[in-house]
């Protein structure tokens, strides 16, 4: 941006905001989560149970997996709108491979992941090589994948296979009645991998550098082109994995699955404290952001007299508050 | 020379291609009958269905020209339709109120978008995302999550009736687009908008009130979306909050891009946008009449987006000119060029 930088002596406010600039959004997220969670627990005593908490992980697992990939894309200053359609396409495609073509589920999963990686890489290639706006390029991806999903099958396809049953039956028992099923496990594993990738890898550092200032990153000799392609490839892998989890979770493939999911995912990432201007954000924040979405949905279910559209309004309002906070933070930090 | 510079030419070519295809492969595509003093036929149908797209895309053109984007148009359409339906079912308002009140209330939401973007400096894509997510929720809240069905003679005029044999919706859409185009082209406002899209900061230093102009662009878009919502609601005689205007933002953006307006902002072409809207609708109708599953349209739209982006991309032009002009090739490799550009950007040259 073309802001005029003038030297100012570091006042208290400047120092406070500058020190916490990177962590402040995430800390806000965690505080908001704690407030909302305790409010929900106070109004419904049953809310405070391990079962409900595990349910947050289960019912939002595919969204969380996608949000992890999206976190990297947004940290790098981009956006990926194709994730929702990817879920729809992969869910119907994997079901088609398993049920209609009778391919072994494990190879079907591998094919789907490879497809997701290739598609993501191609989007990254278009964005990087030809300078397409990420928003426009992935919008085309959104259309393309959704259309392709309909071409595979308009009807939903059921998945019946002993291997799939074996995979989905796998669970780690937490207590006598509650166990951590495979969907939640996949989510947690992806979360761990992303934590390592973001915090302790060259790739992660490059992503932060690109998001902070792409031009400086280029001049510093960071491989910006290849990193950008890898970022979208990572998002593609995450969203196809989300699609697979969705298909296995519901034992079926459905072309309409995940419509509008991209907005929920972006909302979760933003609520999780990732700056939309790029450069700042953490997988931990996204994890909490997904939990917040879970609390809202579960609270509305618990309340009973609130209708589903309140979810949208609540998420919209939270999104607004966080975007405004980000806006104020970034302006304070610049001055 | 004039034709080569004209941005509308691509949209016009695309439209001609689709119509030519129909002339050859679809029987009776161009036949227009007159029944009960109304025109019937595929072409009229395309016009009628394109009317909401033309309206929203016209507003979107202005927003994109200022360097922004408005994702909330679909939700705004649902809200305006829901307000009208609630008013009809809850009281005996004069017909004019049924049009004015939803438009004013939706325009206020446009002000909200504009304030966030113009005055707080939030990225347009994100700021309008808020209303896109929550707007549909608000519309569903208004109608109680149901499809509010109504019968109201006066209100249906906009969506269902015919004027001189043509659907009223088409005339309204075209008149609105024409009025907006005249307004921005015959005053300095069009120039201001283009200048803001080119460089917002520079425009402010020149003395253009960039904030107010951005706000007005979003308000105009909201008004256009509101009218489009009223048309669709009147047409089906019901407010279907969860489906009216779903995906409209994408159609509108696509129309603008096909019409030759660069999505980064700057020069805009409302005429091209109208052609773009017609291209999209005739593509959809063609696919429908061919009997191919209508879902294929989405793949077609995706390919059109990629194609348009290719045509607009500066990088592609450079790569091609290097390819055809080998002497230029020796000048800079892609990496060197990237470094060169970044250095210029950092040094603010």
């Amino acid at each position: 941006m073309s802001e005029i930088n003038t030297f100012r002596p570091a006042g208290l406010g400047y120092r406070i905001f500058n020190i916490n600039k990177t962590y402040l959004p995430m800390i806000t997220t965690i505080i908001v989560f704690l407030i909302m969670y305790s409010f929900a627990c106070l109004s419904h005593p049953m809310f405070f149970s391990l079962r409900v908490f595990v349910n947050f992980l289960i019912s939002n697992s595919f969204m969380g997996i996608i949000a992890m990939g999206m976190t990297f894309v947004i940290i790098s200053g981009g956006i990926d709108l194709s994730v929702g359609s990817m879920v729809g396409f992969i869910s119907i495609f994997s079901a088609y491979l398993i049920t209609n073509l009778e391919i072994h589920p494990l190879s079907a999963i591998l094919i789907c992941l490879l497809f997701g990686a290739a598609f993501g890489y191609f989007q990254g290639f278009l964005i990087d090589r030809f300078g397409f706006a990420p928003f426009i390029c992935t919008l085309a991806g959104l259309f393309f994948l959704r259309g392709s999903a309909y071409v595979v099958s308009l009807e939903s396809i059921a998945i019946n296979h002993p291997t799939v049953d074996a995979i989905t039956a796998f669970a780690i028992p937490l207590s006598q009645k509650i166990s951590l099923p495979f969907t939640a496990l996949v989510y947690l594993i992806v979360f761990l991998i992303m934590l390592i990738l973001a915090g302790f890898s060259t790739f992660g550092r490059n992503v932060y550098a690109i998001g902070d200032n792409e031009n400086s990153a280029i001049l510093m000799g960071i491989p910006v082109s290849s990193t950008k392609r890898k970022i979208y490839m990572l998002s593609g892998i995450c969203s196809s994995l989300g699609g697979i989890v969705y298909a296995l979770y519901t034992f079926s493939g459905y072309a309409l699955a995940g419509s509008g999911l991209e907005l929920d995912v972006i909302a979760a990432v933003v609520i999780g404290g990732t700056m939309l201007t790029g450069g700042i954000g953490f997988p931990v924040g996204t994890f909490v952001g997904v939990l917040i979405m879970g609390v809202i949905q579960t609270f509305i279910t618990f309340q009973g007299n609130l209708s589903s559209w309140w979810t949208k309004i609540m998420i919209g309002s939270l999104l607004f508050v966080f975007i405004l906070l980000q806006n104020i933070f970034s302006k304070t930090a610049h001055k | 020379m004039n034709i080569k510079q004209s941005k509308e030419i691509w949209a016009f070519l695309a439209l001609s291609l689709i119509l030519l295809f129909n002339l050859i492969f679809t029987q009776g595509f161009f036949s227009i009958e007159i029944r009960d003093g109304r025109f019937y036929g595929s072409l009229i149908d395309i016009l009628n269905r394109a009317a909401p797209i033309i309206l929203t895309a016209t507003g979107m053109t202005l927003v994109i020209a200022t360097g922004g984007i408005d994702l909330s148009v679909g939700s705004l359409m649902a809200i305006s339709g829901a307000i009208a339906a609630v008013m009809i079912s809850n009281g005996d308002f004069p017909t004019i109120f049924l049009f004015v009140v939803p438009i004013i209330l939706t325009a206020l939401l446009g002000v909200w978008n504009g304030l966030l973007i113009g005055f707080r400096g939030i990225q347009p894509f994100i700021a309008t995302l808020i209303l896109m997510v929550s707007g549909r929720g608000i519309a569903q809240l208004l109608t109680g999550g149901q499809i509010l069905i109504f019968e109201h003679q006066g209100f249906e005029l906009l969506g269902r009736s015919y004027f001189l044999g043509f659907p009223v919706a088409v005339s309204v859409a075209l008149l609105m687009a024409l009025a907006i185009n005249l307004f921005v082209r015959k005053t300095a406002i069009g120039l201001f908008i283009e200048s803001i899209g080119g460089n917002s900061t520079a425009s402010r230093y020149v003395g253009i009130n960039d904030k107010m102009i951005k706000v007005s662009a979003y308000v105009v878009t909201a008004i256009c979306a509101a009218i489009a919502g009223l048309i669709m609601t009147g047409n089906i005689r019901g407010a279907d909050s969860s489906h009216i205007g779903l995906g409209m933002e994408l159609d509108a953006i696509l129309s603008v891009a096909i019409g030759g307006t660069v999505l980064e902002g700057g020069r805009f072409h409302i005429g091209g946008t109208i052609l773009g809207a017609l291209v999209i609708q005739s593509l959809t109708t063609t696919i429908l009449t061919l009997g191919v599953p209508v879902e294929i349209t989405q793949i077609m739209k995706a390919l059109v987006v990629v194609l348009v982006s290719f045509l607009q991309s500066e990088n592609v032009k450079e790569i091609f000119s290097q390819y055809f002009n080998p002497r230029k090739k020796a000048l800079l490799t892609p990496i060197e060029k990237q470094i060169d550009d970044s250095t210029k950007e950092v040094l603010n040259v």
Side-chain angles (χ1 to χ4, degrees), chain A residues 220-256:
Chain A
M220 276 159 70
I222 287 170
V224 171
S225 287
S226 66
T227 310
K228 264 189 170 177
R229 294 174 194 187
K230 279 183 206 153
I231 292 166
Y232 286 93
M233 187 168 88
L234 184 71
S235 176
I237 294 173
C238 283
S239 44
S240 58
L241 186 63
I244 292 166
V245 168
Y246 186 87
L248 297 185
Y249 179 55
T250 56
F251 288 104
S252 65
Y254 185 37
L256 265 173

Side-chain angles (χ1 to χ4, degrees), chain B residues 86-118:
Chain B
V86 168
M87 283 174 70
I88 291 172
S89 47
N90 284 354
D92 221 7
F93 293 96
T95 311
I96 189 77
F97 273 47
L98 297 177
F99 294 112
V100 174
V101 175
I103 290 177
I104 290 178
L105 290 178
T106 317
L108 286 178
L109 293 175
V111 175
W112 159 269
N113 276 339
L115 286 180
L116 288 182
I117 294 155

Side-chain angles (χ1 to χ4, degrees), chain B residues 25-319:
Chain B
F25 292 101
T26 320
Q27 290 225 318
F29 191 81
F30 285 88
S31 72
I32 292 176
E33 293 174 36
I34 302 180
R35 253 184 266 157
D36 310 331
R38 295 171 188 176
F39 291 106
Y40 277 96
S42 296
L43 291 180
I44 304 293
D45 191 52
I46 288 175
L47 277 176
N48 198 8
R49 282 172 196 273
I53 309 180
I54 291 176
L55 269 169
T56 38
T58 306
M60 188 72 87
T61 313
L62 299 183
V63 165
I64 287 180
T66 63
I69 200 115
D70 190 348
L71 294 182
S72 65
V73 284
S75 297
L76 293 182
M77 284 171 70
I79 290 179
S80 86
I83 295 173
V86 168
M87 283 174 70
I88 291 172
S89 47
N90 284 354
D92 221 7
F93 293 96
T95 311
I96 189 77
F97 273 47
L98 297 177
F99 294 112
V100 174
V101 175
I103 290 177
I104 290 178
L105 290 178
T106 317
L108 286 178
L109 293 175
V111 175
W112 159 269
N113 276 339
L115 286 180
L116 288 182
I117 294 155
F119 284 83
R120 289 275 0 149
I122 297 171
Q123 298 115 296
F125 165 59
I126 301 305
T128 51
L129 185 70
I130 299 171
L131 257 187
M132 184 188 180
V133 176
S134 51
R136 205 159 281 283
I138 294 170
Q140 284 168 335
L141 178 73
L142 286 172
T143 59
Q146 294 163 329
I147 304 177
L148 267 189
I149 301 166
F150 56 81
E151 294 225 3
H152 191 285
Q153 292 262 308
F155 181 70
E156 287 163 16
L157 276 179
L158 187 58
R160 295 179 71 91
S161 64
Y162 287 73
F163 176 68
L164 294 179
F166 283 100
V168 168
V170 179
S171 333
V172 170
L174 289 178
L175 273 180
M176 189 80 188
L178 194 71
I180 291 175
N181 196 28
L182 274 182
F183 181 68
V184 294
R185 289 303 183 195
K186 293 296 166 192
T187 63
I189 291 180
L191 217 54
F192 290 169
I193 290 176
E194 292 185 341
S195 126
I196 290 170
N199 188 336
S200 183
T201 318
S203 313
R204 193 182 319 138
Y205 289 146
V206 170
I208 296 170
N209 191 344
D210 62 328
K211 293 177 179 172
M212 278 319 290
I213 287 188
K214 276 185 187 168
V215 173
S216 0
Y218 286 93
V219 173
V220 169
T221 308
I223 292 173
C224 287
I227 299 174
L230 295 179
I231 289 175
M232 287 185 102
T233 310
N235 191 17
I236 63 169
R237 287 193 189 135
D240 183 1
S241 316
S242 37
H243 288 104
I244 280 186
L246 200 63
M248 180 57 84
E249 57 283 343
L250 307 180
D251 281 350
I253 295 167
L254 203 53
S255 315
V256 175
I258 293 174
T261 303
V262 178
L263 291 168
E264 269 93 57
R267 290 266 164 82
F268 65 94
H269 311 271
I270 290 180
T273 301
I274 296 174
L275 285 176
L278 291 177
V279 167
I280 290 178
Q281 189 53 49
S282 47
L283 194 69
T284 315
T285 309
T286 306
I287 286 169
L288 268 174
T289 42
L290 280 179
V292 183
V294 69
E295 290 73 24
I296 301 282
T297 32
Q298 304 211 346
I299 298 182
M300 298 292 276
K301 278 181 193 171
L303 297 180
V304 171
V305 173
V306 173
L307 190 71
V308 170
S309 309
F310 260 115
L311 289 175
Q312 287 189 356
S313 165
E314 287 296 322
N315 283 16
V316 175
K317 278 176 204 158
E318 256 165 46
I319 291 163

Side-chain angles (χ1 to χ4, degrees), chain A residues 1-4 79 81 126-133 135-137 139-151 154 213-216 218-219 224-225 263-264 266-267 270 276-278 308-317 319-321 323-324 326-328 331, chain B residues 69 71 112 116 119-123 125-127 129-130 132-134 136-138 140-142 144-146 199 201 205 242 247 250-251 253-254 263-264 293 295-296 298-299 301-303 305-306 309-310 313-316 319 322 334-335 338-343 345-346 348:
Chain A
M1 294 299 285
S2 49
E3 261 132 54
I4 299 165
I79 199 92
L81 295 179
L126 288 180
I127 291 167
D128 165 57
R129 186 72 186 90
F130 298 120
F132 284 16
F135 167 63
I136 302 297
C137 181
L139 189 69
L142 180 151
F143 276 132
F144 186 82
L145 288 173
R146 187 64 70 191
S148 313
Y150 290 131
V151 172
L154 279 173
N213 191 333
E214 196 178 325
N215 289 315
S216 333
I218 292 173
L219 295 180
V224 171
S225 287
L263 302 174
D264 288 347
I266 294 171
V270 172
L276 285 157
T277 39
S308 65
W309 47 84
W310 279 107
T311 321
K312 288 179 193 163
I313 298 177
M314 290 270 277
I315 291 172
S317 326
L319 199 58
F320 166 68
V321 171
I323 287 169
L324 205 63
Q326 286 194 3
N327 188 256
I328 294 166
K331 288 210 166 153
Chain B
I69 200 115
L71 294 182
W112 159 269
L116 288 182
F119 284 83
R120 289 275 0 149
I122 297 171
Q123 298 115 296
F125 165 59
I126 301 305
L129 185 70
I130 299 171
M132 184 188 180
V133 176
S134 51
R136 205 159 281 283
I138 294 170
Q140 284 168 335
L141 178 73
L142 286 172
Q146 294 163 329
N199 188 336
T201 318
Y205 289 146
S242 37
L250 307 180
D251 281 350
I253 295 167
L254 203 53
L263 291 168
E264 269 93 57
E295 290 73 24
I296 301 282
Q298 304 211 346
I299 298 182
K301 278 181 193 171
L303 297 180
V305 173
V306 173
S309 309
F310 260 115
S313 165
E314 287 296 322
N315 283 16
V316 175
I319 291 163
Q322 275 173 10
I335 303 269
Q338 215 175 22
I339 292 174
D340 196 47
D341 287 348
S342 311
T343 317
E345 191 107 345
V346 169
N348 246 332

